[in-house]
């Protein structure tokens, strides 16, 4: 099945990212190639585009959709935590722009057998890289009650985390929990009926937490953002699109740290560190327009942060 995904904040992100039609640009989350197609349309024959994704479906889609690009195109199957290695292997030292479009794609949600969705029954999977050994099945059936509760608290921010973890452990005692449908049933039993009537689907936060744990989504972000900033040329742009508060917090804090000047203790009367800011943050986070939200409700929590490299 072809990789279909509606790109969020498409115009805003690409117009902020591409400043040189002859530049080198990296899309760290190729997905359905929506952003990629827009980026390459802004580049001429001297430009170069690198698309990275760990999902083989995204790689195949990218090769098809970008086949007629006028610029040079490299499509690489890898996790974006390896961006430094990917650029080294392509013998590229510096680039003019890097884009991260975080979160799970519409395609992955819509393909039932990938096991990302609480709306469709499927094997418990949730691997963004289908060749990875560790899956949602392992988290649900092998984590202790304490571990389960902690990830649901940390990554799902669900007030019923401890109760959900208790019910999961009890539910798997007789036989493993093997499908998304079975897990949804357990979660619904754990959350009181009155609480289920209001707000989002009762399984939404737990599924988000398990997905983040399976793919180590938050653990790789800070280093990937930092490496990306190091590989930008002066004037190069970093664009980060986030979809929930946890990843947005990491993006915000990393950019703030890299934009700092002096890092001396406040007790020192003069600066001794000579630390220079590497980037400047460009404006406030941008959010989808009312028109975009009407066309794509999944974009409602999206934020775009943009930074520019100012010193090597």
């Amino acid at each position: 099945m072809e990789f279909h995904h509606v790109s969020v904040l498409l115009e805003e992100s690409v117009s902020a990212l591409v400043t040189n039609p002859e530049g080198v640009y990296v899309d760290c989350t190729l997905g359905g190639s929506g952003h990629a197609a827009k980026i390459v349309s802004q580049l001429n024959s001297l430009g170069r585009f690198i698309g990275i994704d760990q999902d083989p479906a995204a790689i195949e889609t990218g090769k098809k959709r970008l086949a007629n690009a006028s610029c040079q195109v490299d499509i690489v199957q890898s996790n974006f935590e390896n961006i430094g290695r990917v650029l080294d292997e392509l013998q590229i030292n510096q680039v003019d722009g890097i884009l991260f479009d975080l979160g799970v794609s519409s395609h992955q949600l819509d393909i039932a057998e990938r096991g990302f969705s609480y709306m469709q029954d499927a094997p418990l999977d949730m691997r963004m890289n289908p060749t990875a050994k560790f899956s949602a099945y392992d988290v649900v059936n092998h984590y202790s009650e304490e571990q389960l509760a902690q990830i649901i608290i940390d990554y799902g921010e669900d007030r019923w985390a401890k109760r959900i973890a208790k019910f999961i452990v009890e539910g798997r005692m007789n036989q493993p929990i093997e499908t998304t449908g079975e897990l949804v049933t357990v979660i619904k039993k754990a959350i009181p009926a009155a609480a289920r009537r209001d707000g989002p689907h009762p399984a939404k936060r737990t599924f988000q937490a398990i997905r983040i744990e399976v793919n180590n989504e938050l653990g790789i972000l800070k280093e990937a953002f930092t490496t990306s900033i190091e590989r930008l040329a002066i004037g190069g742009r970093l664009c980060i699109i986030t979809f929930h508060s946890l990843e947005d917090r990491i993006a915000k804090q990393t950019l703030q740290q890299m934009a700092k000047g002096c890092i001396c203790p406040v007790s020192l009367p003069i600066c001794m560190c000579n630390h220079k800011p590497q980037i400047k943050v460009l404006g406030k986070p941008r959010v989808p327009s009312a028109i975009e939200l009407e066309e794509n409700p999944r974009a409602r929590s999206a934020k775009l942060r943009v930074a520019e490299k100012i010193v090597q």
Side-chain angles (χ1 to χ4, degrees):
M1 183 173 176
E2 190 175 71
F3 203 118
H4 174 72
H5 177 62
V6 180
S7 298
V8 175
L9 291 160
L10 178 63
E11 299 294 333
E12 296 89 340
S13 58
V14 176
S15 64
L17 182 75
V18 180
T19 58
N20 175 12
E22 298 180 1
V24 181
Y25 293 89
V26 184
D27 184 345
C28 288
T29 44
L30 187 61
S33 293
H35 286 103
K38 185 72 175 176
I39 292 167
V40 301
S41 75
Q42 310 294 303
L43 304 181
N44 62 30
S45 60
L46 298 177
R48 187 171 185 180
F49 172 83
I50 299 103
I52 302 171
D53 207 294
Q54 59 184 332
D55 190 329
I59 296 298
E60 287 308 307
T61 298
K63 287 177 179 177
K64 286 179 189 172
R65 293 193 177 171
L66 305 178
N68 297 320
S70 57
C71 64
Q72 181 177 342
V73 172
D74 297 277
I75 306 291
V76 182
Q77 185 175 350
S78 185
N79 189 304
F80 61 65
E81 68 177 318
N82 304 318
I83 181 172
R85 193 183 315 156
V86 169
L87 292 176
D88 287 344
E89 287 173 358
L90 293 172
Q91 298 184 314
I92 298 170
N93 185 32
Q94 293 184 331
V95 301
D96 298 283
I98 299 174
L99 171 70
F100 289 86
D101 177 12
L102 302 174
V104 67
S105 75
S106 303
H107 171 83
Q108 290 164 330
L109 284 172
D110 294 338
I111 301 297
E113 57 265 29
R114 298 295 295 271
F116 285 101
S117 177
Y118 45 79
M119 302 298 287
Q120 304 176 85
D121 194 25
L124 271 174
D125 191 334
M126 303 195 198
R127 294 170 298 169
M128 290 185 179
N129 176 0
T131 64
K133 291 187 171 68
F134 186 67
S135 73
Y137 177 92
D138 300 300
V139 173
V140 170
N141 290 289
H142 299 148
Y143 274 31
S144 69
E145 184 176 327
E146 292 74 20
Q147 286 175 308
L148 284 167
Q150 199 60 56
I151 68 163
I152 298 169
I153 290 168
D154 291 346
Y155 301 154
E157 298 177 311
D158 195 311
R159 60 183 291 217
W160 302 104
K162 290 184 178 179
R163 191 172 160 88
I164 291 168
K166 180 173 180 287
F167 274 63
I168 288 173
V169 170
E170 289 174 356
R172 72 192 190 195
M173 278 180 168
N174 294 327
Q175 60 184 45
I177 298 170
E178 296 186 336
T179 70
T180 54
E182 290 170 11
L183 180 58
V184 168
T185 300
V186 172
I187 294 167
K188 284 183 174 177
K189 286 179 184 174
I191 299 176
R196 293 203 306 268
R197 280 194 287 270
D198 299 319
H201 191 286
K204 179 180 180 180
R205 293 177 182 274
T206 299
F207 269 61
Q208 172 182 293
I210 295 169
R211 189 201 80 223
I212 289 171
E213 177 71 7
V214 167
N215 298 289
N216 190 26
E217 290 176 37
L218 299 181
I220 62 178
L221 289 183
K222 182 175 181 179
E223 187 173 344
F225 296 156
T226 303
T227 302
S228 296
I229 290 167
E230 289 169 355
R231 300 303 286 258
L232 285 174
I234 291 177
R237 301 278 180 85
L238 172 64
C239 294
I240 304 170
I241 301 172
T242 62
F243 287 86
H244 60 73
S245 59
L246 298 169
E247 61 193 17
D248 187 61
R249 193 179 308 148
I250 295 170
K252 179 182 178 181
Q253 290 173 349
T254 305
L255 295 182
Q256 284 177 337
Q257 288 167 4
M258 303 292 275
K260 261 186 181 178
C262 174
I263 54 174
C264 290
V266 292
S267 56
L268 285 181
I270 59 169
C271 176
M272 304 291 287
C273 69
N274 293 318
H275 184 266
K276 298 284 188 287
Q278 284 191 267
I279 59 170
K280 63 178 177 182
V281 176
L282 303 182
K284 293 182 178 180
R286 299 162 209 190
V287 297
S289 66
I291 294 171
E292 180 170 4
L293 288 177
E294 195 173 318
E295 293 174 352
N296 183 16
R298 283 177 178 166
R300 64 186 174 276
S301 58
K303 284 184 181 177
L304 167 64
R305 296 181 182 274
V306 182
E308 184 177 291
K309 185 77 171 281
I310 57 175
V311 69
Q312 286 301 345

